[in-house]
Amino acid sequence: MNKKRISIFGATGSIGQNTLDLIARDRQSYEVVVLTAGSNIDLLVKAALEFEPQAVVAATNDQFQELKTALSDTQIEVSTGRKALLESASRKCDLAFSAIVGAAGLEPGLIALENGADLALANKESMVAAGTLVKRKAIENNSSLIPVDSEHSAIFQALKGENVNTIERVILTASGGAFRDWTLDEIAQATPEQASTHPNWNMGQRITIDSASMFNKALEVIEAKELFSLSTEQIEVLVHPQSYVHAIVGFCDGGMMAHIGPPDMRHAIGYALSYPNRRTLPLEKLDFAKIGSLTFMEPDKERFPAIGLAYEVMSLGGISGAVFNAAKETALDGFLSKQIGFLEMCPIVEKTIVKLCHKENSHKLEASLINILDIDEMARSVAAELIRTYRS
Ligand code: NDP
Ligand code: MG
């Protein structure tokens, strides 16, 4: 049996490391082609020595010598910098994991699709900023988009064998994040350290803070609309503190398919790795008698206004997803560097949208990569300026 050739963009992150954990348990099924990092050279070298890929890339430019020296006893090709990262995405593989955080993950994913790879899509920012473009690239190259975000993997699995025209609604669940039970006053004082702890999931820092603000769910609502071609009205969000039900799909006959599993990303990653087949995974077996009850509630719009913004973005359409994502990334940087408070992120994103997106013009621009990158840059500079002036 031929091994499936896998490239991982963002191999040193939480998704990347979980992917390697699964590959390590089934070495006869997979061959690693490319591993990329941002700046974590130690982890990249460790993974390179263990998995012996054809090539490794660190996106930061100044680490070439360090990486080269560490891998000098191997045949592995070494390069650094953004250009090298993009070039590595054109190397032939069967499945590319898009696991870089932020809009920086968009281009490697598009290039992998252009080169005929299927795309295991953890990088939700790609779908939010450029859903139309990503889908078009997949169709043009006859490639599959396999969601890795747990909710979207859940929907994808529930839809297997179903006619998408029979979907009535889709419910995305949310844990509620670190501040689910905090008051508005307490949330206003939250520090980056407090926001970086997740009650159920173990993830990278940025998505963990996005879970605390529910910007993560806001991104996921848009991601779901794009991935499954849903209308805005078909998508709902419920807070489900136990995080066992990942999503529910309701069909026109009243039947509902819920995807249930432990809060462990290795399920969705493993499903994408072996898709279209299933394989045994090293996950905890749920004991429903012990769990006892599963609870669901409406998200609190006052304490977590980000989800409301996602619905505005979906009704605006066009460039607004790219603006939303870039402004959110910039606001998060502002919070992490303590320039703004936790509750100031949302108004900054909203003001950036108001400034750049107008119903009458946001559809006019063709969804080309150049347009999206320009809009991303513009939104970052507007949001950064708002951060600078926010308190004055
Ligand atoms: P992490 O922060 O843990 O990892 C991010 C990865 O991207 C690292 O390999 C990092 O490199 C690399 N990276 C960061 N910035 C750049 C850049 N500018 N250029 C190239 N590489 C870069 O993130 P996660 O693994 O948590 O998340 C990855 C993606 O998956 C995100 O889009 C997230 O929303 C999504 N996702 C994550 C889930 C999770 O459980 N973690 C669940 C669902 C979706 P380095 O560390 O070497 O600097
Ligand atoms: Mg998710």
Side-chain angles (χ1 to χ4, degrees):
M1 192 185 72
N2 284 341
K3 290 186 176 187
K4 203 184 251 191
R5 296 166 301 171
I6 311 288
S7 287
I8 307 176
F9 301 94
T12 48
S14 164
I15 292 286
Q17 290 289 298
N18 275 312
T19 307
L20 288 171
D21 173 82
L22 292 181
I23 291 175
R25 295 164 192 265
D26 191 4
R27 293 295 282 268
Q28 69 274 22
S29 300
Y30 305 107
E31 177 190 327
V32 178
V33 178
V34 172
L35 294 176
T36 81
S39 57
N40 191 340
I41 295 293
D42 292 346
L43 211 47
L44 182 62
V45 167
K46 185 170 172 284
L49 293 173
E50 185 178 350
F51 294 94
E52 298 174 324
Q54 291 171 16
V56 296
V57 185
T60 41
N61 246 324
D62 52 0
Q63 292 173 301
F64 179 78
Q65 210 44 54
E66 198 185 338
L67 192 55
K68 183 84 189 155
T69 308
L71 296 175
S72 57
D73 289 341
T74 72
Q75 302 293 313
I76 301 167
E77 290 174 40
V78 168
S79 57
T80 56
R82 178 79 183 165
K83 190 163 169 270
L85 170 69
L86 299 184
E87 278 165 11
S88 73
S90 61
R91 218 172 255 259
K92 276 281 164 244
C93 69
D94 300 306
L95 180 65
F97 270 80
S98 175
I100 289 173
V101 65
L106 170 62
E107 279 177 278
L110 291 173
I111 295 169
L113 285 172
E114 277 165 7
N115 285 276
D118 291 333
L119 195 65
L121 193 77
N123 181 271
K124 60 192 84 186
E125 297 89 343
S126 294
M127 290 315 283
V128 174
T132 308
L133 181 60
V134 175
K135 283 188 286 186
R136 196 171 73 215
K137 287 278 177 217
I139 291 167
E140 280 170 6
N141 295 285
N142 206 12
S143 298
S144 301
L145 285 177
I146 310 164
V148 171
D149 214 345
S150 58
E151 299 77 0
H152 306 75
S153 172
I155 298 166
F156 188 67
Q157 293 178 49
L159 290 180
K160 209 166 175 189
E162 300 290 347
N163 177 347
V164 289
N165 297 325
T166 64
I167 303 173
E168 186 185 61
R169 62 181 176 146
V170 161
I171 302 171
L172 302 177
T173 59
S175 67
F179 305 145
R180 186 185 62 225
D181 303 319
W182 288 33
T183 65
L184 199 55
D185 287 345
E186 286 167 338
I187 297 174
Q189 304 305 321
T191 63
E193 294 69 31
Q194 289 168 321
S196 301
T197 330
H198 198 281
N200 303 339
W201 297 90
N202 186 8
M203 311 184 285
Q205 188 190 29
R206 295 182 76 90
I207 183 175
T208 303
I209 300 178
D210 284 349
S211 296
S213 61
M214 295 195 85
F215 264 119
N216 180 48
K217 209 50 57 183
L219 295 173
E220 289 183 357
V221 165
I222 304 170
E223 181 189 11
K225 178 177 191 295
E226 294 295 333
L227 272 173
F228 305 108
S229 302
L230 300 168
S231 70
T232 305
E233 300 72 40
Q234 281 177 301
I235 310 168
E236 298 167 33
V237 174
L238 283 180
V239 173
H240 166 51
Q242 297 84 15
S243 294
Y244 293 127
V245 178
H246 302 139
I248 303 167
V249 180
F251 294 94
C252 58
D253 59 0
M256 305 187 90
M257 302 275 268
H259 183 283
I260 304 178
D264 185 331
M265 281 310 294
R266 291 178 304 174
H267 170 74
I269 294 168
Y271 187 81
L273 261 177
S274 59
Y275 178 80
N277 304 311
R278 285 187 187 270
R279 61 181 266 208
T280 307
L281 293 170
L283 303 188
E284 175 203 349
K285 296 226 170 342
L286 292 185
D287 180 339
F288 284 104
K290 266 202 193 129
I291 291 169
S293 59
L294 300 173
T295 54
F296 301 89
M297 61 199 97
E298 294 275 0
D300 180 337
K301 293 192 182 91
E302 198 194 347
R303 288 182 303 140
F304 303 105
I307 295 177
L309 270 186
Y311 283 86
E312 274 178 43
V313 166
M314 290 191 295
S315 78
L316 281 166
I319 61 165
S320 59
V323 172
F324 178 63
N325 180 63
K328 191 282 297 173
E329 288 191 38
T330 309
L332 177 53
D333 289 337
F335 172 65
L336 279 168
S337 59
K338 304 198 174 167
Q339 288 173 277
I340 53 169
F342 190 80
L343 289 178
E344 282 150 11
M345 288 192 283
C346 225
I348 283 178
V349 175
E350 186 166 18
K351 283 181 183 158
T352 309
I353 292 170
V354 169
K355 208 155 182 175
L356 293 178
C357 311
H358 311 283
K359 232 188 171 88
E360 59 285 3
N361 77 4
S362 55
H363 284 283
K364 283 189 189 147
L365 282 172
E366 196 209 339
S368 71
L369 180 60
I370 297 286
N371 284 341
I372 288 158
L373 296 181
D374 279 354
I375 287 152
D376 176 284
E377 203 182 317
M378 210 184 297
R380 280 172 207 268
S381 98
V382 169
E385 185 55 29
L386 285 167
I387 291 171
R388 273 193 292 278
T389 54
Y390 203 69
R391 287 178 182 280
S392 55

